[in-house]
Amino acid sequence: MSKTIIVSNRLPLQVKTDGKDIKVTPSVGGLATGMKSVHRDSNGVWVGWSGLTDEEIDDGMQAKVDQAVQKEQCVAVNLNEDDIQNYYYGFSNRTLWPLFHYFLEYTEFEKESWESYKRVNEKFAKVVVDQIEEGDRVWVHDYQLLLLPQLIKDEKPDVPVGFFLHIPFPSYEIFRTFPKRKEILEGMLGSDLLGFHTYDYERHFLSSVKRIANKEVRFNKITHDNRIIKVDSFPMGIDYKKFEDAAKKNQDQSKKQRSEVQRRLDEHLNESDSAKMVLSIDRLDYTKGIPNRIRAFEYFLNKYPEYQEKIRLIMLAVPSRSEVPQYQKLKKETDELVGRINGQFSTVSWTPIWYFFRTMPFENLIDLYTSSDVALITPVRDGMNLVAKEYVATRTEQDGVLVLSEMTGASKELGEALQINPFNFEEIADTLKRALEMPKAEQKRRMLSLQKRISRYSVEKWAEEFMNALESSQNVSQYIQAERLTQKHQRNILKTVEDSENTIIFLGYNGTLVDYTDKTEDKTPDKALYDTLAKVSQRPNVELCITSCSENENLQKWFADTDYRLISDHGAFYRKHNIWTELEALKTDWMEDVIPVLETFVDRTPGSYLDINRFSLAWHYGDADIEMGEKRVIEINTVLTSLTSNTDLSVFHGKEVVEIKSTKVSKGYAALQVLKEKDFDNIIVIGDDWTDEYMFEDLPDHAHSIKVGIRKTNAKYFVKRVEEVRAFLNLLG
Ligand code: GDG
């Protein structure tokens, strides 16, 4: 039975050892909940680090750890102390985390930690690849494993790989500063589906893919390595029912059943009718806007002194990454700010900020959520922020107000929250006042809409949608009309050759018969190719016609010793029985008018250039800013269409090129002239680029047309690589 392999930095469990015994407890975080149906029900496997370093596990213990972890359907990746220091605290949390959250000033780049990051991603790849069986799929999570998708693809090209990024993807202007930007993108592009929390992260990623990795992007699809990669947003949800049920239970409990935390909260709330509580919960992280929040609260107490002694900010800050200096600095700053404000405003019976620096059990978390009039969530940058959603889920009476930073991914979905700019203290203070004074009816109206939306798109639904999208990303023919050329198709075509009186095979050259990676130079045919072509042409009823954009001198040089038909220069020249003819008396006087127009585009688009060929003009923008280039294409089309109407000129848009030429110069037109010479009852045509599309389109419907590569095509079939063309020709031979 096929399974899903989930991969994340940490396994969803806590492993404790007291020297001899191992204790494993499953953790109940959001991701683990969301993945439950994928992991448990489908017999899945979860690959990740157990939390214990190699140094903490002695020889005798390893087998026990593996066994205990296996019981939870998990497989551990073994990491040592050095990995944790360099890959985890180093590259993941001192480089990628600040960079992706726009903290350029905190972003350190050290070669050693980059090397370690690569090494650990390889360790993960090895474990994952070992687990893969026929029919399996892999879902990789988060910024610690950005190189993993490609490492898996290299080993298992046919296994579907999905990747989800839990943090923001920064804008191109930020991402481009990063020394290993290309390597990171290429690592991610090993996936078949890439998921982000929001559309903004998705478009930032696509922009970097276009501009840095120089890949073809159409809407949300990337063509890379003969695959189509889909990019989409999947806003992560929460286990809504779990929070709602826990809140209901909390409400129903008797006084005696209440926790110590709940009792303390009640004491404050019962002091007077106007007593209010404001809540914030986050990991102590500089992205969460904690100092901003405290300063804004101070500003609020000064600006609205009537709230003094009535309002309390409860701040739960969970310890996090305390080995990283910026986190130590933040801890110090937070302690000092809380101390200063409490020192300044406290009275005998009131302290404005209750500050907890620890984790709390789930039940206490619910005490906090259900007792607070306002949730004040102010990150300066946050991928999603699940706390905002959890607060909403626990408001069973539909009261309470969510004040939410517009810099969180969650703000895109939670339009009914009061949204603030976390850098604007005055706005935070005024919005807090508005929240505290909001009429109950308005609270209810907003809360109901929020709840309706969040309950619908739960974390289970999120995982399900991602998996469905991964499944459908496999179906390449969904995006292109052509069918993959199978063995059966090949045998059928071979049969038509055997049954025919006269077959002609039109073959593209660069990119069809020879690999064409260095696009600046034509490639000379190799011996194997000469042999293959010779074999095919020895069939008495078969003729070959090689069609190329190259100049006729080149083709003549390469195929001087053969009698193949040749079409060169995009279809302008034709060779038969070793005699070259110009297919049309081609005029070029139109170039005089068009060249100055295209030159203005060259001037206005840095990186673009004009190629003046014998019969055509081509404006290339592959090295220009790709987005600017695409904008210019629209302008060029408008200008040229008016200029070329009433002429036999046409404008073609290819990959990063706009070409203007006579309609009579095309491989399609040339191929039709060849067909007029003889009664060919069977036609095969194979090509790879946009100039070959004219043959696919112009040749009769019964032609067997095959495209090399998977870009949009008019051909009936497609193959992925040049080797497949050669293998097919060998079969015909
Ligand atoms: C990353 C991204 C993205 C917190 N304190 C306690 C506790 N929690 C739980 C909360 C919530 C979770 O931790 C925190 O989730 P967030 O989404 O707010 O933030 P990150 O940890 O930064 O997570 C973030 C997320 O990944 C998912 O993709 O939203 O943007 O940074 O569930 O309830 N739970 C318990 N005790 C605590 O003291 N039991």
Side-chain angles (χ1 to χ4, degrees):
M1 188 173 118
S2 68
K3 62 181 183 296
T4 302
I5 301 171
I6 304 160
V7 198
S8 64
N9 171 54
R10 279 296 300 267
L11 285 173
L13 35 84
Q14 303 288 334
V15 184
K16 290 215 171 78
T17 154
D18 64 0
K20 274 194 288 163
D21 283 326
I22 302 281
K23 207 170 155 235
V24 171
T25 42
S27 53
V28 282
L31 189 59
T33 313
M35 291 291 154
K36 217 186 307 170
S37 52
V38 181
H39 184 208
R40 294 292 151 108
D41 305 350
S42 76
N43 202 23
V45 169
W46 197 313
V47 174
W49 181 48
S50 70
L52 295 176
T53 60
D54 293 350
E55 288 80 355
E56 288 169 300
I57 308 173
D58 57 40
D59 287 349
M61 294 284 274
Q62 186 64 59
K64 280 191 189 172
V65 172
D66 290 346
Q67 220 174 31
V69 163
Q70 213 174 21
K71 262 201 196 141
E72 302 296 327
Q73 282 178 235
C74 291
V75 179
V77 178
N78 295 329
L79 300 184
N80 58 37
E81 191 50 44
D82 180 70
D83 294 333
I84 294 305
Q85 283 312 322
N86 285 300
Y87 142 83
Y88 181 71
Y89 288 115
F91 198 76
S92 299
N93 288 323
R94 285 196 213 188
T95 308
L96 292 174
W97 178 270
L99 180 82
F100 280 41
H101 287 88
Y102 294 68
F103 278 79
L104 272 185
E105 70 278 25
Y106 285 179
T107 307
E108 296 167 18
F109 180 78
E110 277 175 22
K111 191 139 192 324
E112 199 185 337
S113 62
W114 163 244
E115 294 301 330
S116 168
Y117 186 80
K118 283 199 290 188
R119 239 182 355 257
V120 171
N121 272 256
E122 280 159 15
K123 280 191 184 183
F124 271 81
K126 200 165 174 319
V127 178
V128 173
V129 167
D130 278 352
Q131 293 298 320
I132 294 175
E133 291 165 315
E134 171 102 35
D136 289 354
R137 46 210 135 11
V138 183
W139 185 358
V140 181
H141 289 266
D142 228 0
Y143 65 102
Q144 301 91 349
L145 300 172
L146 296 173
L147 304 178
L148 186 57
Q150 187 59 50
L151 294 170
I152 298 172
K153 206 41 118 193
D154 287 342
E155 295 293 319
K156 299 274 177 187
D158 295 328
V159 170
V161 180
F163 179 87
F164 188 83
L165 186 70
H166 288 262
I167 65 175
F169 194 92
S171 88
Y172 163 71
E173 287 300 339
I174 294 284
F175 189 69
R176 69 189 298 202
T177 62
F178 181 47
K180 298 294 171 190
R181 56 200 185 175
K182 209 158 173 214
E183 286 85 339
I184 292 289
L185 291 178
E186 278 166 2
M188 295 174 80
L189 290 177
S191 320
D192 300 286
L193 171 69
L194 283 141
F196 298 89
H197 281 306
T198 73
Y199 173 66
D200 280 338
Y201 308 155
E202 175 189 332
R203 86 187 156 74
H204 290 161
F205 173 74
L206 287 172
S207 167
S208 282
V209 166
K210 263 202 247 183
R211 292 163 171 220
I212 296 168
N214 203 10
K215 300 291 171 209
E216 184 182 317
V217 176
R218 293 253 156 102
F219 300 106
N220 64 340
K221 295 187 189 87
I222 304 165
T223 314
H224 165 61
D225 196 19
N226 273 329
R227 290 184 293 121
I228 288 179
I229 299 164
K230 201 175 161 201
V231 183
D232 215 335
S233 49
F234 302 85
M236 188 174 169
I238 56 165
D239 186 352
Y240 191 89
K241 198 152 177 336
K242 177 175 149 192
F243 283 88
E244 188 188 30
D245 289 350
K248 282 188 183 144
K249 196 169 145 215
N250 176 288
Q251 235 171 11
D252 296 342
Q253 67 192 354
S254 67
K255 262 195 172 160
K256 257 174 71 191
Q257 288 171 314
R258 286 182 192 174
S259 69
E260 183 52 32
V261 171
Q262 185 66 61
R263 269 183 234 156
R264 291 289 307 280
L265 297 170
D266 290 345
E267 267 169 34
H268 169 72
L269 289 171
N270 294 335
E271 270 166 19
S272 78
D273 283 349
S274 51
K276 298 279 185 192
M277 279 207 334
V278 178
L279 174 69
S280 73
I281 296 179
D282 12 45
R283 273 184 311 99
L284 192 82
D285 195 296
Y286 49 81
T287 60
K288 302 286 182 181
I290 297 171
N292 291 26
R293 182 185 311 151
I294 304 174
R295 288 203 187 91
F297 189 61
E298 178 184 29
Y299 184 85
F300 172 86
L301 292 175
N302 278 318
K303 187 168 178 187
Y304 303 109
E306 64 274 24
Y307 276 97
Q308 290 184 20
E309 296 199 74
K310 290 188 185 126
I311 187 172
R312 203 158 248 164
L313 172 63
I314 308 206
M315 229 175 66
L316 173 59
V318 177
S320 177
R321 304 172 197 168
S322 42
E323 305 213 6
V324 179
Q326 277 93 20
Y327 289 75
Q328 294 158 3
K329 194 170 138 242
L330 174 69
K331 167 79 170 61
K332 193 158 167 273
E333 187 185 359
T334 308
D335 288 353
E336 282 170 8
L337 276 170
V338 172
R340 190 180 83 203
I341 291 161
N342 278 347
Q344 190 187 341
F345 291 95
S346 291
T347 62
V348 191
S349 56
W350 175 69
T351 23
I353 305 179
W354 275 357
Y355 167 43
F356 302 92
F357 177 60
R358 55 174 146 105
T359 55
M360 280 198 185
F362 178 72
E363 291 66 32
N364 292 145
L365 213 64
I366 300 297
D367 293 337
L368 295 179
Y369 281 141
T370 51
S371 306
S372 303
D373 303 280
V374 176
L376 183 60
I377 297 176
T378 60
V380 289
R381 208 54 78 165
D382 206 342
M384 173 51 75
N385 196 293
L386 298 178
V387 171
K389 294 186 172 181
E390 291 167 5
Y391 176 69
V392 170
T394 60
R395 308 306 300 180
T396 49
E397 307 273 297
Q398 287 81 41
D399 58 356
V401 182
L402 175 63
V403 177
L404 182 62
S405 161
E406 61 190 49
M407 307 295 171
T408 59
S411 70
K412 305 281 180 255
E413 285 169 272
L414 309 183
E416 296 82 359
L418 299 185
Q419 301 208 359
I420 48 104
N421 170 357
F423 297 97
N424 185 341
F425 298 151
E426 197 156 14
E427 189 188 30
I428 300 177
D430 293 345
T431 309
L432 179 56
K433 181 163 186 287
R434 185 176 159 209
L436 291 164
E437 293 171 5
M438 185 182 283
K440 284 277 179 214
E442 186 180 347
Q443 291 183 25
K444 187 164 185 162
R445 186 167 49 75
R446 286 172 185 267
M447 205 41 97
L448 267 174
S449 316
L450 290 171
Q451 289 182 341
K452 213 165 144 192
R453 197 166 320 118
I454 302 179
S455 57
R456 230 182 3 235
Y457 202 82
S458 66
V459 68
E460 289 87 352
K461 185 116 179 95
W462 166 80
E464 188 189 313
E465 297 229 325
F466 186 93
M467 290 311 295
N468 288 342
L470 181 60
E471 201 70 42
S472 66
S473 74
Q474 289 313 292
N475 192 3
V476 186
S477 54
Q478 189 178 326
Y479 309 119
I480 49 173
Q481 297 291 313
E483 259 185 273
R484 182 111 167 94
L485 183 80
T486 59
Q487 299 282 342
K488 193 167 159 222
H489 294 134
Q490 296 187 27
R491 281 195 300 273
N492 288 344
I493 297 175
L494 175 64
K495 176 108 189 11
T496 64
V497 174
E498 284 162 353
D499 294 348
S500 80
E501 305 231 329
N502 291 310
T503 292
I504 182 152
I505 308 179
F506 292 100
L507 294 166
Y509 182 72
N510 287 316
T512 301
L513 293 178
V514 292
D515 251 328
Y516 187 41
T517 31
D518 177 8
K519 307 225 157 160
T520 54
E521 247 180 71
D522 292 327
K523 217 169 148 184
T524 317
D526 50 272
K527 174 155 186 322
L529 178 62
Y530 282 127
D531 291 349
T532 301
L533 295 175
K535 262 196 277 167
V536 182
S537 69
Q538 270 157 23
R539 271 186 177 264
N541 62 338
V542 171
E543 288 190 44
L544 291 183
C545 180
I546 295 174
T547 63
S548 174
C549 298
S550 297
E551 297 187 352
N552 55 355
E553 288 87 354
N554 276 343
L555 290 190
Q556 179 58 31
K557 197 169 62 198
W558 297 332
F559 297 105
D561 299 336
T562 71
D563 192 31
Y564 309 150
R565 294 164 195 259
L566 302 175
I567 292 172
S568 72
D569 300 82
H570 287 271
F573 288 99
Y574 172 50
R575 184 190 88 167
K576 188 184 165 195
H577 299 323
N578 253 321
I579 297 167
W580 284 94
T581 46
E582 203 172 306
L583 273 176
E584 281 288 324
L586 291 163
K587 287 198 216 122
T588 52
D589 50 350
W590 57 271
M591 285 193 183
E592 266 172 49
D593 299 328
V594 179
I595 288 173
V597 175
L598 289 177
E599 278 172 345
T600 67
F601 281 91
V602 173
D603 294 341
R604 291 193 300 127
T605 318
S608 72
Y609 65 93
L610 181 61
D611 201 2
I612 302 176
N613 299 312
R614 276 193 278 190
F615 303 106
S616 65
L617 298 174
W619 178 73
H620 294 267
Y621 62 95
D623 290 333
D625 178 291
I626 195 74
E627 280 171 4
M628 182 193 254
E630 283 170 1
K631 210 175 108 214
R632 292 277 188 260
V633 169
I634 300 172
E635 295 170 27
I636 279 195
N637 264 324
T638 320
V639 177
L640 290 181
T641 313
S642 63
L643 212 68
T644 56
S645 60
N646 301 327
T647 65
D648 65 356
L649 293 180
S650 47
V651 181
F652 303 91
H653 182 201
K655 183 166 158 42
E656 294 161 358
V657 61
V658 174
E659 197 185 43
I660 303 103
K661 61 184 177 70
S662 160
T663 27
K664 293 195 174 148
V665 182
S666 97
K667 288 184 187 173
Y669 181 80
L672 286 178
Q673 305 316 303
V674 175
L675 292 188
K676 283 184 191 157
E677 290 174 2
K678 195 166 169 179
D679 191 13
F680 289 107
D681 58 346
N682 190 32
I683 305 164
I684 300 172
V685 49
I686 312 179
D688 70 292
D689 79 353
W690 57 277
T691 60
D692 298 315
E693 291 296 326
Y694 297 103
M695 292 199 288
F696 300 150
E697 207 173 289
D698 294 346
L699 289 173
D701 280 350
H702 63 81
H704 308 286
S705 48
I706 303 166
K707 163 94 168 176
V708 187
I710 54 171
R711 241 171 260 131
K712 214 166 158 265
T713 181
N714 291 310
K716 289 181 189 153
Y717 306 103
F718 77 93
V719 294
K720 288 192 174 180
R721 294 184 184 81
V722 166
E723 297 85 74
E724 291 174 62
V725 177
R726 290 191 180 200
F728 175 55
L729 290 175
N730 279 326
L731 179 80
L732 295 185

